[in-house]
Amino acid sequence: MTEIVRGVALVTGGSRGIGAAAAVALAGDGWDVGISYRTQADDAAAVVAACEAVGRRAVAVRADVAEAEDIERMFGEVTDALGPIGAVINNAGIVTPSAKVADYDVERLEKVFRINTIGAFLVAGAAVRRMSTARGGSGGVIVNVSSRGAVLGSANEYVDYAGSKAAVDTLTIGLANEVAKEGIRVLGIRPGLIETDIHAEGRLERIGATPPLGRPGKAEEVAALIAFLASDRASYMTGSMVDVAGGR
Ligand code: NAD
């Protein structure tokens, strides 16, 4: 059987959760994979090993997506190690603690929008600068990780988080149109309740059975969608938001 080589994919926040599962799924699909992590070097090394175990090359780079210089360095280091990047999974993100809008302060709002929204815009911009055929690149795909909360609003929990992700939906649709003729597809996914460490203690136990499918999703179930959207099988898709939310 001929080996399929798909090029180089970069997954932000790839040290655990959905990002880690996406890195492994992409490696399984034939991509060499760069992952970024902020603090979890050991977890990142384990994800690199898992990608290498399926026969791909992989590298981990420390980078905070809230810092523009880190993002530039991250793209540079992954490109130097693996070659030109053809897929960017814009996944790094945080949630805020449950609270009412009336009780938010500026610090809380700045943090979540800085990472989830400004970070996502900066990563997408850096990806376009490198991949755009109008700028000497070879094209590629960007998959933005939003949230079902962007549509539902996440009342009584984190409306600010939902808003920071609604902007990621807008980024997806607007940027897709901006770069459609530059060889770049831009897609977004909206996970529902997925079993990862992002949730406050006890939350999954409390509301895990509430999605219509009766259970939380697994990171691998989100990763399968990411790998599909990044692949040529999704070649006629751009500017779409796809829910992976158990019917939520
Ligand atoms: P997670 O906490 O397990 O993983 C988040 C990853 O992002 C980690 O690797 C973390 O290090 C990284 N990260 C956080 N802040 C960063 C920063 N400033 N710079 C670089 N990396 C940073 O959570 P997850 O559930 O795997 O979340 C992945 C994405 O999926 C997030 O964007 C999240 O908002 C989104 N999402 C998750 C769910 C869910 O239920 N788990 C639902 C909807 C959307």
Side-chain angles (χ1 to χ4, degrees):
M1 203 168 75
T2 321
E3 190 193 19
I4 301 169
V5 178
R6 295 191 186 270
V8 178
L10 166 63
V11 183
T12 67
S15 57
R16 65 179 210 186
I18 292 168
V24 173
L26 288 162
D29 261 10
W31 294 86
D32 290 330
V33 181
I35 63 165
S36 80
Y37 67 95
R38 198 176 33 158
T39 52
Q40 300 144 328
D42 289 350
D43 290 347
V47 175
V48 165
C51 293
E52 289 172 344
V54 297
R56 304 310 325 167
R57 296 181 304 148
V59 66
V61 173
R62 199 207 62 74
D64 185 339
V65 298
E67 303 297 334
E69 316 82 68
D70 276 25
I71 292 171
E72 287 305 309
R73 185 176 45 74
M74 168 180 78
F75 273 87
E77 287 184 17
V78 171
T79 305
D80 288 349
L82 302 176
I85 294 167
V88 173
I89 316 304
N90 210 347
N91 165 76
I94 57 162
V95 290
T96 37
S98 286
K100 305 273 192 191
V101 174
D103 298 321
Y104 295 172
D105 59 20
V106 172
E107 193 187 349
R108 168 186 170 118
L109 290 167
E110 282 184 347
K111 186 175 177 192
V112 70
F113 279 90
R114 175 93 199 177
I115 295 171
N116 291 2
T117 306
I118 296 179
F121 270 74
L122 290 174
V123 168
V128 169
R129 287 197 295 280
R130 285 161 182 79
M131 300 194 304
S132 167
T133 54
R135 296 167 185 259
S138 305
V141 56
I142 299 169
V143 181
N144 295 320
V145 180
S146 172
S147 168
R148 190 73 186 119
V151 177
L152 299 176
S154 302
N156 300 310
E157 291 204 291
Y158 23 65
V159 178
D160 52 352
Y161 166 79
S164 74
K165 291 296 191 177
V168 171
D169 292 16
T170 308
L171 166 67
T172 304
I173 295 159
L175 182 61
N177 283 286
E178 211 166 279
V179 299
K181 293 191 172 59
E182 299 175 23
I184 302 174
R185 296 185 298 112
V186 186
L187 293 152
I189 63 162
R190 291 197 202 100
L193 186 67
I194 309 300
E195 235 171 327
T196 72
D197 292 336
I198 204 169
H199 299 285
E201 216 179 312
R203 183 168 188 263
L204 282 169
E205 290 71 18
R206 204 172 63 250
I207 63 166
T210 58
L213 283 185
R215 63 172 178 86
K218 296 186 187 314
E220 291 72 21
E221 294 175 301
V222 180
L225 173 61
I226 291 172
F228 168 74
L229 294 175
S231 79
D232 289 345
R233 285 169 288 168
S235 54
Y236 199 56
M237 291 182 74
T238 195
S240 305
M241 296 300 308
V242 185
D243 293 348
V244 49
R248 230 186 184 182

